[in-house]
Amino acid sequence: MPHLARLVLALLFVAIAPSGRVAAQAADAPMARGTVSGLPLPRYVSLKSDRVNLREGPSKDHRVTWVFTRAGLPVEIIAEFETWRRIRDSEGSDGWVLHSLLSGRRTALVSPWSKGQVFTMRERAAEEAAVVARLEAGVVVDVRRCTGTWCEVAVSNRRGFMEQDKLWGVYPNERIE
């Protein structure tokens, strides 16, 4: 299959795949690359600004459908067009933002699908390790590194480890150095 046709199929797959689980489904497939940046698609980044307009299409002429008001919030880039990036949030909403409003800084949301629950951050990457903090679902953490099972994260002035499958902003089995 020609390279362009594979890329189009990959982008179509990303557009219809369930939120946050794309990498696990496509783990054995060749990684798609952005036609503008050359970086992997999909990929997680974070919002650089406290005010980011989400638009219906890749230009300022398109209607604003949502305004994000939280710098550091993780989002997933699922497509690229010139200076625009199509992103998806943890709830599955998607739209277009200017690339200059995004940061390569990795952050994650603590289990946003488990509203009202509390999760433990541990001293070491082990279930029996001492508890460093208890975090509510939806808390944004900075991702320092991930082993594929555990991630070292930080929030406020606390550092610790959380199970990788409790975070939205890192892919299952993803390793981050």
Side-chain angles (χ1 to χ4, degrees), residues 111-134:
S111 198
W113 51 86
S114 304
K115 300 209 185 313
Q117 292 186 31
V118 175
F119 298 87
T120 53
M121 180 191 300
R122 300 196 176 271
E123 186 176 61
R124 293 178 292 106
E127 192 64 38
E128 67 280 356
V131 174
V132 174
R134 296 191 190 283

Side-chain angles (χ1 to χ4, degrees), residues 57-117:
S59 81
K60 289 188 177 181
D61 295 334
H62 286 278
R63 183 173 70 90
V64 173
T65 58
W66 186 257
V67 179
F68 290 105
T69 58
R70 189 173 183 188
L73 192 69
V75 293
E76 184 179 36
I77 295 177
I78 57 176
E80 300 180 346
F81 178 76
E82 296 176 356
T83 60
W84 294 86
R85 302 297 179 262
R86 185 173 180 188
I87 63 167
R88 178 172 34 222
D89 68 12
S90 65
E91 295 178 359
S93 298
D94 71 273
W96 294 86
V97 300
L98 278 169
H99 79 290
S100 60
L101 298 173
L102 302 172
S103 167
R105 180 177 143 228
R106 291 298 293 270
T107 63
L109 285 170
V110 174
S111 198
W113 51 86
S114 304
K115 300 209 185 313
Q117 292 186 31

Side-chain angles (χ1 to χ4, degrees), residues 101-176:
L101 298 173
L102 302 172
S103 167
R105 180 177 143 228
R106 291 298 293 270
T107 63
L109 285 170
V110 174
S111 198
W113 51 86
S114 304
K115 300 209 185 313
Q117 292 186 31
V118 175
F119 298 87
T120 53
M121 180 191 300
R122 300 196 176 271
E123 186 176 61
R124 293 178 292 106
E127 192 64 38
E128 67 280 356
V131 174
V132 174
R134 296 191 190 283
L135 304 177
E136 289 184 16
V139 168
V140 176
V141 295
D142 285 313
V143 176
R144 304 291 185 199
R145 62 188 173 98
C146 295
T147 65
T149 309
W150 290 85
C151 292
E152 183 179 4
V153 297
V155 61
S156 299
N157 57 355
R158 301 233 187 230
R159 253 187 142 140
F161 291 84
M162 294 194 71
E163 292 169 288
Q164 196 158 330
D165 64 358
K166 302 286 190 281
L167 300 172
W168 190 91
V170 294
Y171 294 109
N173 304 315
E174 180 182 13
R175 295 181 179 275
I176 300 172

